[in-house]
């Protein structure tokens, strides 16, 4: 089994600051649950989408080759048709999203959590070279986090038939993860409303691969390499393109 070290997402150290930043940026992040009650402020129960229609300034904190920089930018732009956001790639000045291309990990802050870091701190880390078979998928995946998406295998309605002892063993053997880490990043479903999740989607670019031997019965997810139709649907819902009634 040859898979890359899974992305863990950069978790906000201060959950209260994370909540406040999310709500200040976009009040719709304080979603009500399906029962109509306002969500409790607990991990994963609010979304972290940017203010709809805003400009996201994106910078590189290091100096990738021009080829690599353009490749990353082109992949990021694949998200553009599905969001009402403007991506502005800048060379200097303040930015919301800061990319490091020489990191030890592939991971990203989720949406507005990027606002919690000082301007010299990267918010999206890449540790992958052009030509690697998962280069494109990795950049698309990490920028999905930067837009506010969480890991699809932790969708509240995923119901993946995990063979848990095998899952713990797999992540321990391949990546040195503790059971707590495997619970946190793989097994435990997250909270959050339908606004955040949409329908569970095995094809999501935000889904970890699920090898068949880690499930009971015949169930697996391969390495997803493209932004799926349902990924785009969630983005369109989070960042709708308003059309004035008076237009035309
Ligand atoms: Zn991830």
């Amino acid at each position: 089994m040859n898979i890359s070290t899974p992305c863990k997402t950069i978790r906000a150290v201060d959950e209260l600051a994370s909540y406040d930043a999310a709500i200040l940026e976009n009040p719709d992040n304080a979603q009500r649950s399906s029962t109509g009650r306002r969500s409790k402020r607990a991990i994963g129960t609010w979304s972290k989408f940017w203010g709809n229609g805003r400009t996201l300034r994106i910078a590189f904190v290091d100096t990738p080759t021009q080829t690599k920089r353009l490749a990353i930018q082109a992949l990021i732009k694949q998200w553009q048709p599905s969001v009402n956001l403007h991506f502005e790639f800048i060379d200097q000045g303040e930015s919301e999203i800061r990319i490091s291309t020489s990191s030890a990990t592939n991971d990203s802050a989720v949406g507005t959590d990027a606002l919690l870091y000082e301007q010299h701190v990267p918010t999206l880390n890449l540790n992958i070279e052009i030509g690697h078979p998962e280069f494109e998928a990795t950049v698309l995946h990490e920028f999905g986090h930067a837009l506010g998406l969480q890991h699809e295998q932790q969708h509240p309605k995923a119901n993946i038939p995990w063979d848990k002892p095998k899952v713990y063993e797999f992540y321990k053997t391949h990546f040195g993860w503790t059971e707590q880490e495997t619970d946190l990043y793989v097994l435990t479903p997250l909270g959050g409303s339908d606004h955040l999740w949409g329908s569970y989607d095995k094809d999501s670019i935000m889904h970890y691969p699920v090898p068949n031997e880690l499930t009971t019965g015949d169930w697996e997810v391969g390495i997803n390499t493209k932004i799926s139709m349902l990924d785009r649907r969630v983005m369109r819902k989070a960042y709708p393109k308003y059309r004035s009634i008076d237009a035309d």
Side-chain angles (χ1 to χ4, degrees):
M1 189 78 221
N2 175 27
I3 65 171
S4 305
T5 303
C7 150
K8 284 179 168 178
T9 72
I10 303 173
R11 298 177 65 82
V13 176
D14 183 341
E15 285 288 316
L16 181 59
S18 166
Y19 180 84
D20 287 345
I23 307 310
L24 188 66
E25 167 75 18
N26 181 346
D28 287 347
N29 282 321
Q31 283 297 304
R32 288 165 190 278
S33 70
S34 53
T35 56
R37 287 173 303 166
R38 186 170 284 279
S39 300
K40 286 201 197 94
R41 192 175 63 212
I43 292 174
T45 56
W46 69 92
S47 53
K48 300 178 179 180
F49 295 122
W50 299 95
N52 192 34
R54 73 121 75 207
T55 294
L56 282 181
R57 295 168 296 181
I58 304 163
F60 288 84
V61 299
D62 51 12
T63 50
T65 63
Q66 184 70 354
T67 307
K68 190 173 184 185
R69 174 189 292 255
L70 291 175
I72 292 168
Q73 290 180 188
L75 288 161
I76 287 173
K77 285 177 189 164
Q78 286 191 23
W79 285 103
Q80 181 76 78
S82 308
V83 296
N84 184 22
L85 296 169
H86 179 63
F87 299 158
E88 185 183 351
F89 295 95
I90 61 168
D91 292 321
Q92 53 187 340
E94 292 206 350
S95 56
E96 283 74 39
I97 294 170
R98 289 172 298 282
I99 301 170
S100 165
T101 61
S102 47
S103 301
T105 53
N106 292 298
D107 53 30
S108 172
V110 175
T112 52
D113 276 355
L115 296 170
L116 302 175
Y117 301 93
E118 293 181 33
Q119 286 291 316
H120 65 279
V121 179
T123 65
L124 191 160
N125 295 301
L126 295 174
N127 173 32
I128 194 159
E129 292 304 322
I130 297 182
H132 188 289
E134 288 166 39
F135 176 78
E136 297 194 352
T138 300
V139 177
L140 292 173
H141 175 102
E142 298 310 338
F143 203 77
H145 286 313
L147 292 173
L149 295 178
Q150 299 274 9
H151 282 138
E152 192 73 6
Q153 76 276 1
Q154 292 180 290
H155 189 295
K157 293 173 186 160
N159 288 321
I160 298 169
W162 294 114
D163 188 333
K164 288 192 180 182
K166 285 188 185 166
V167 176
Y168 290 130
E169 186 61 32
F170 177 87
Y171 281 93
K172 185 180 169 198
T173 305
H174 290 276
F175 312 116
W177 288 13
T178 62
E179 291 194 2
Q180 286 77 10
E181 284 175 297
T182 301
D183 282 337
L184 192 58
Y185 294 105
V186 185
L187 294 175
T188 308
L190 296 173
S193 64
D194 291 350
H195 174 70
L196 169 57
W197 290 104
S199 305
Y200 169 64
D201 176 20
K202 280 178 85 170
D203 295 329
S204 173
I205 191 70
M206 307 311 294
H207 210 306
Y208 276 17
V210 180
N212 210 326
E213 62 265 30
L214 299 190
T215 63
T216 57
D218 183 20
W219 203 101
E220 67 183 340
V221 173
I223 297 171
N224 294 336
T225 57
K226 294 186 171 64
I227 301 169
S228 73
M229 202 177 67
L230 291 181
D231 287 334
R232 293 196 180 280
R233 186 180 294 171
V234 172
M235 286 286 92
R236 285 197 302 271
K237 212 164 136 197
Y239 302 111
K241 298 187 183 183
Y242 291 118
R243 219 173 140 204
S244 161
I245 292 167
D246 297 319
D248 301 345

